[in-house]
Amino acid sequence: MTENSELTASFTELYGRAPEGIWAAPGRVNLIGEYTDFNDGFVMPLALPHTARAAVARRADGELRLHSTDVPGGVVRLRIDELAPQQGHGWAAYPAGVVWALREAGHPVTGADIQLTSTVPTGAGLSSSAALEVVTAFALNDLFELGLSAQELAVLGQRAENAFVGVPCGIMDQMASACCTEGHALHLDTRDLTMRQVPFDLAAGGLRLLVVDTQVKHALGDGAYAERRAGCEAGAAALGVRTLREVPYDSLGAALDTLAGSGVDESVVRYVRHVVSDNQRVEQVMALLDAGDVRAAGPVLDAGHASLRDDLRVSCPELDLVVSAAVAAGALGARMTGGGFGGSAIVLVEEEQADMVAKSVLEAFAAAGHATPRIFPAVPSAGARRLG
């Protein structure tokens, strides 16, 4: 039995009828550009083969029924006209938030039965929540014939996470899940959502990008993410700009001098330095990909990690160990990816050295007494789509 037929069968057993279709939306890993999206900056994610899948059928009675094969417990039953922000609901808040956001925007969603399953690791910084939001949005868009674009659905997914769930994330995760294409990284300008699909065929160049899931779970709703977003906004206000995107890299030194003399907290100065320099790193990596010199991106990844560790201070000992062990073993470059405080790192390696580097990371974790990390290759994959 295929995965889709299994999902169809479980939906039918659960709800007493067959689904009207099955959809998938991927998790993502971000190559470069972290904490830049809510500053109107640049990012460069790629979709992973790991997906959230949803079997869905419409309802006309205003009831929303949600079930996940990955979470213990029964069906979550909600009335769509009673949905309101930040009421809890656990994992179900992500798909429920999408229904709320669609209806808030005036779209005629009248209820649904949804069965979800996911292979995107949770708490690993790989956008498991965005995958849930985007797969729900794509399914409802098709079933209710809303006519929304992938970009519009991503924005609604972000609104669900910001307003309904209460996590002030930027737009990168939802855009990556909705809009990435196979074999490419997505260069996204989060200010106007213009995007470019950048060819990213590492295998052809004898390279591999490894994802190392440290198994250290992070929770971005705990205030640390929001504190950094507020700090970035304070820095922009002190510099007299709307967002930090408006600070050119070649003016960074002067901007930092201005902040140092303005009385803002020292952390704000660090956050500004990270965001402006990471925007520049995204542009560096895109130029290197365009020039066919992917190997030269390694040091840019290293610099990105140092900035996240020292300026933004969102790393952790396990993430730092991945980077140091991988680079010591011959990796071209490595950095933490995602929101941090745990989660995953990426490692750029020569194909013939990939196994050795992975072995070195595993040995370093064992020697440090950490849990065994999960290591797998990042294969640029397709964005959200209907499967059947």
Side-chain angles (χ1 to χ4, degrees):
M1 184 179 288
T2 66
E3 290 181 342
N4 286 348
S5 60
E6 287 179 357
L7 188 58
T8 296
S10 66
F11 180 100
T12 303
E13 180 179 0
L14 187 68
Y15 295 121
R17 58 177 178 147
E20 294 181 80
I22 295 177
W23 290 259
R28 66 95 190 97
V29 66
N30 190 27
L31 185 61
I32 194 74
E34 222 66 75
Y35 282 79
T36 51
D37 57 348
F38 60 72
N39 289 290
D40 280 358
F42 301 112
V43 293
M44 192 178 287
L46 53 109
L48 292 169
H50 309 73
T51 61
R53 288 181 296 126
V56 186
R58 290 168 290 182
R59 298 183 66 93
D61 60 359
E63 186 170 16
L64 176 64
R65 298 196 294 183
L66 302 163
H67 184 263
S68 170
T69 64
D70 309 308
V71 182
V75 174
V76 177
R77 291 176 168 83
L78 301 168
R79 296 293 306 174
I80 61 174
D81 56 0
E82 296 174 359
L83 293 174
Q86 301 185 43
Q87 290 185 326
H89 305 308
W91 68 268
Y94 297 101
V98 170
V99 174
W100 172 83
L102 285 166
R103 286 171 53 81
E104 282 285 298
H107 300 294
V109 176
T110 57
D113 288 337
I114 302 177
Q115 169 82 315
L116 291 153
T117 188
S118 180
T119 58
V120 185
T122 59
L126 302 176
S127 298
S128 58
S129 60
L132 289 179
E133 292 155 0
V134 170
V135 75
T136 302
F138 267 67
L140 297 176
N141 182 57
D142 285 351
L143 290 178
F144 288 96
E145 300 180 341
L146 304 180
L148 299 172
S149 68
Q151 183 180 25
E152 290 170 322
L153 294 170
V155 170
L156 284 163
Q158 182 202 18
R159 175 157 171 72
E161 189 150 347
N162 288 174
F164 194 86
V165 181
V167 177
C169 66
I171 189 62
M172 174 179 64
D173 296 352
Q174 292 82 6
M175 283 291 291
S177 187
C179 300
C180 278
T181 60
E182 186 175 0
H184 295 77
L186 178 71
H187 179 273
L188 175 66
D189 182 339
T190 66
R191 179 163 62 187
D192 58 13
L193 299 188
T194 55
M195 54 187 167
R196 178 185 164 203
Q197 305 289 347
V198 183
F200 194 60
D201 185 358
L202 293 178
L207 298 172
R208 189 182 295 181
L209 187 69
L210 299 177
V211 176
V212 182
D213 175 5
T214 64
Q215 306 286 343
V216 178
K217 302 301 182 184
H218 74 289
L220 294 183
D222 64 0
Y225 185 97
E227 188 274 329
R228 281 151 182 80
R229 179 165 186 162
C232 290
E233 292 169 352
L239 293 169
V241 295
R242 191 178 68 83
T243 69
L244 294 181
R245 164 65 180 279
E246 297 174 34
V247 181
Y249 180 70
D250 58 11
S251 299
L252 178 57
L256 296 179
D257 289 342
T258 297
L259 290 172
S262 70
V264 299
D265 189 85
E266 176 268 344
S267 63
V268 173
V269 179
R270 289 189 282 103
Y271 298 168
V272 170
R273 181 166 53 224
H274 166 75
V275 170
V276 176
S277 60
D278 228 33
N279 274 329
Q280 176 69 6
R281 282 186 281 269
V282 176
E283 298 306 277
Q284 284 181 272
V285 170
M286 185 172 73
L288 291 169
L289 293 182
D290 283 342
D293 192 7
V294 183
R295 286 171 174 81
V300 185
L301 301 184
D302 293 341
H305 183 78
S307 182
L308 288 160
R309 180 192 65 213
D310 300 335
D311 278 342
L312 213 59
R313 299 185 182 176
V314 294
S315 190
C316 67
E318 291 85 353
L319 288 168
D320 293 340
L321 184 59
V322 174
V323 172
S324 61
V327 172
L332 296 167
R335 75 173 191 93
M336 60 154 283
T337 185
F341 309 104
S344 300
I346 54 172
V347 181
L348 182 65
V349 291
E350 301 282 358
E351 180 73 34
E352 67 268 15
Q353 290 186 300
D355 291 343
M356 182 184 68
V357 170
K359 182 173 181 287
S360 296
V361 171
L362 291 170
E363 290 174 346
F365 267 61
H370 298 320
T372 303
R374 178 188 180 199
I375 304 176
F376 57 91
V379 180
S381 301
R385 66 258 183 213
R386 185 169 186 164
L387 299 178

